[in-house]
Amino acid sequence: MRSLPLTFCAAVAAATIAVPASAAPAEPKDPKGSGPVTVTPAVVSPGGEVELWTDVCGKGTSARGNSEAFTSEARFAPADRKGLRAEARIRPDAAPDAYEIRVTCKDGHGRAKGTVTVVPHRRPTPVAPVRAGGGGTATLATGGAAGPGLPHAVTGLALATAAVAAVAFRGARRRRAEHG
């Protein structure tokens, strides 16, 4: 019965890992020297890093990017593709919100905008209880076994009888040795 929710959670986790956080362009490119900044990942926790990319300035130039979410100014440099790339770190004390990113080209003629969303840190929570500890009692605690049955009772009775006989035999031998 518990396997269905566990299977569902595993499928959601696999889908989340298989499909990376979307690289979200903030605005469509405008021919008047403005365009989007692509942010990867678009959703990040405080203290995380994001990669920024824009092609509004062209290849072979540089740009600077600012946001209230960044620890410092992002400096763009030429990328393999025809555009500019930068990395930025999100402030550790950034409040959960959507923050605007503004990029200005070195020559001042191009501008780009984007958005990064900061989400709170999430602590992992267990999906299902773990079967650990207690040795054989873990099965008993989950209702998997009803406890000792007739074969266990017969074995216990036989062992107890053998123990009583051994103690009685040893006591009898000791008394004979003392009197003899």
Side-chain angles (χ1 to χ4, degrees), residues 20-180:
S22 65
E27 300 173 6
K29 189 170 182 178
D30 182 30
K32 299 177 187 173
S34 66
V37 175
T38 303
V39 183
T40 307
V43 178
V44 66
S45 296
E49 286 189 3
V50 293
E51 182 178 308
L52 309 168
W53 187 85
T54 186
D55 63 353
V56 77
C57 300
K59 187 176 170 118
T61 184
S62 63
R64 294 179 180 205
N66 291 302
S67 175
E68 291 180 23
F70 296 166
T71 56
S72 63
E73 181 178 71
R75 297 180 185 253
F76 286 79
D80 291 338
R81 301 180 278 179
K82 59 176 195 178
L84 302 175
R85 179 190 168 284
E87 290 182 354
R89 182 171 296 281
I90 305 299
R91 287 188 350 251
D93 62 341
D97 200 359
Y99 292 90
E100 183 180 61
I101 301 168
R102 296 163 307 284
V103 176
T104 305
C105 299
K106 182 179 182 182
D107 59 12
H109 294 294
R111 296 187 185 278
K113 288 185 180 180
T115 304
V116 63
T117 304
V118 177
V119 295
H121 288 287
R122 295 185 187 158
R123 285 184 276 163
T125 56
V127 177
V130 178
R131 299 179 109 199
T137 62
T139 308
L140 294 174
T142 61
L150 182 62
H152 294 103
V154 171
T155 303
L157 184 60
L159 289 173
T161 304
V164 168
V167 169
F169 179 71
R170 185 174 170 109
R173 265 184 62 193
R174 185 177 288 167
R175 273 189 241 119
R176 266 192 247 145
E178 290 175 1
H179 292 302

